[in-house]
Amino acid sequence: MVALARVPRPEPQDFAGDPQFAADALAGLKATPKRMPAKYFYDAEGSLLFEQITELPEYYPTRCEMKILRDHGKEIGKVIPEGAALIEFGSGSNKKVRILLKHAPKLAAYVPVDICAEMVEDEAKELETERPQLPVFPIVADICTRFALPDAAQTAPARVGFFPGSTIGNFESHEAAAFLRNAGEILGDGAVLIIGVDLIKAPEILNSAYNDKKGVTAKFNKNLLVRMNRVLGANFKLETFEHHAFYNRERNRIEMHLASLKRQKVRVAGETIDFRAGETIHTENSYKYSIESLNALAGGVGWTQIQAWTDPKNYFGVVAYRLGKR
Ligand code: AVI
């Protein structure tokens, strides 16, 4: 009998570049139903693709939020105290904060926080050149963790959080509550938090926003497979997976999935993952809120609404909160 040499199976921690990604990917792909944490969309390529999504004719949230910031900038600026530090959670591109800065009084610091190092550093440099008098302190961090603020923000007389883009919608409600609680702990007593949120609306509008004609959202979704191929030594064949996005009315959320078009085995981080034909990886939820439902969620962890603004079609809302009672 021929003795077969045993090839040791690589452990997730062998993917030294990103052991956490390996562990999360394997946990998600071995679960039933299969899932992947949406935060893994945002490598350099994914962040660029997301920027392209925000320009698509079907993807209304960014345009609506920018219109609210422009149309109501003066009033929004009034909730930002003189000399405050502005902390942007999940900053991405500068385009929204630029509008806010026009209406904000003199700030002690602007602290953009994002998980994508390239993005946050490049955008911070751009802003520093544009506004040399504004001290910018970029932080590369997962916005759900307890990151430390720079001294200039800690010693400022007030701290204002800015969480635009309806990123809150990508959290499950317990995660959103945990995020809001953590943001309160980072910002401290008396803090203000300005949140952008996508509002519940007709399913046709929502469905087309996540199924654009150019296929950019599909590419963004499949970039997760590209990233696993590159970082985790996976062998996903992109053409054997399909982008699915649909509005789930019962849960007020868009669901994004990657559906396997056939029965197949895929290697990921040294392990074999079986797919049935039609089986999906659930890659993202994008919850839609009413101003009232967001107030209830935020109120549960100590934030009280100061004021809310919407666009003329009521597609999107920007809500300002203060930590503690009015
Ligand atoms: C970042 N986030 C708010 C986007 C959303 O609409 O949920 C991500 C996205 N996914 C597909 N298109 C855009």
Side-chain angles (χ1 to χ4, degrees):
M1 207 167 90
V2 182
L4 290 174
R6 269 193 96 79
V7 179
R9 287 187 161 213
E11 294 292 322
Q13 60 267 27
D14 291 340
F15 291 87
D18 203 336
Q20 191 59 53
F21 181 28
D24 289 347
L26 285 177
L29 293 172
K30 287 179 187 176
T32 315
K34 292 181 170 46
R35 55 181 152 72
M36 275 294 291
K39 67 176 177 185
Y40 290 114
F41 279 131
Y42 302 97
D43 61 354
E45 175 65 12
S47 298
L48 281 177
L49 285 166
F50 178 64
E51 283 313 308
Q52 289 174 24
I53 289 177
T54 65
E55 317 254 309
L56 292 168
E58 297 94 336
Y59 195 77
Y60 60 84
T62 313
R63 270 187 306 281
C64 289
E65 186 173 37
M66 305 256 287
K67 180 165 171 59
I68 298 170
L69 294 174
R70 268 191 219 106
D71 291 356
H72 302 281
K74 230 178 176 175
E75 289 162 64
I76 301 173
K78 284 192 187 137
V79 304
I80 306 176
E82 180 91 38
L86 183 67
I87 294 97
E88 184 171 358
F89 293 89
S91 52
S93 102
N94 286 331
K95 59 186 176 199
K96 290 172 196 162
V97 80
R98 246 191 223 122
I99 309 177
L100 200 60
L101 288 173
K102 266 194 205 152
H103 301 281
K106 205 166 176 289
L107 294 176
Y110 167 57
V111 184
V113 187
D114 204 287
I115 198 163
C116 179
E118 292 94 328
M119 189 88 177
V120 76
E121 279 152 14
D122 291 355
E123 297 290 306
K125 270 190 212 126
E126 203 178 289
L127 209 59
E128 272 167 341
T129 330
E130 253 173 65
R131 294 181 161 253
Q133 52 328 340
L134 177 70
V136 182
F137 300 92
I139 295 184
V140 179
D142 179 338
I143 55 168
C144 296
T145 60
R146 189 70 184 271
F147 57 85
L149 291 179
D151 285 350
Q154 272 176 33
T155 55
R159 276 152 297 283
V160 176
F162 182 40
F163 191 35
S166 202
T167 305
I168 193 149
N170 296 130
F171 295 143
E172 296 303 308
S173 68
H174 70 279
E175 293 168 336
F179 166 81
L180 293 168
R181 191 180 294 111
N182 185 50
E185 283 164 8
I186 292 171
L187 298 171
D189 274 349
V192 169
L193 181 59
I194 302 167
I195 305 183
V197 68
D198 196 9
L199 301 175
I200 296 167
K201 61 184 64 62
E204 309 81 75
I205 299 166
L206 289 163
N207 282 324
S208 80
Y210 292 81
N211 288 288
D212 65 278
K213 292 207 180 90
K214 265 177 138 182
V216 184
T217 311
K219 205 168 169 201
F220 172 74
N221 200 3
K222 282 193 180 184
N223 183 52
L224 267 181
L225 306 181
V226 176
R227 187 174 181 183
M228 283 192 271
N229 283 353
R230 189 183 64 245
V231 183
L232 306 182
N235 62 352
F236 284 101
K237 291 195 187 78
L238 301 196
E239 66 286 2
T240 65
F241 285 85
E242 198 170 70
H243 165 73
H244 285 186
F246 56 89
Y247 186 57
N248 179 334
R249 263 181 205 256
E250 268 177 19
R251 298 189 153 177
N252 291 326
R253 71 187 192 196
I254 284 280
E255 291 186 17
M256 288 214 316
H257 295 256
L258 285 164
S260 175
L261 294 172
K262 59 176 195 179
R263 194 172 153 206
Q264 59 179 317
K265 290 184 190 299
V266 180
R267 296 284 291 170
V268 182
E271 302 216 17
T272 301
I273 306 293
D274 289 304
F275 283 88
R276 287 178 278 108
E279 188 177 7
T280 76
I281 310 172
H282 189 165
T283 52
E284 184 181 62
N285 285 322
S286 187
Y287 285 88
K288 308 306 168 190
Y289 285 87
S290 61
I291 302 287
E292 295 71 30
S293 64
L294 186 65
N295 285 350
L297 179 79
V301 289
W303 293 96
T304 308
Q305 189 201 289
I306 307 171
Q307 209 173 337
W309 301 269
T310 58
D311 61 293
K313 289 182 181 161
N314 269 315
Y315 278 8
F316 204 91
V318 172
V319 193
Y321 294 96
R322 190 179 308 287
L323 195 56
K325 299 266 172 280
R326 219 185 263 262

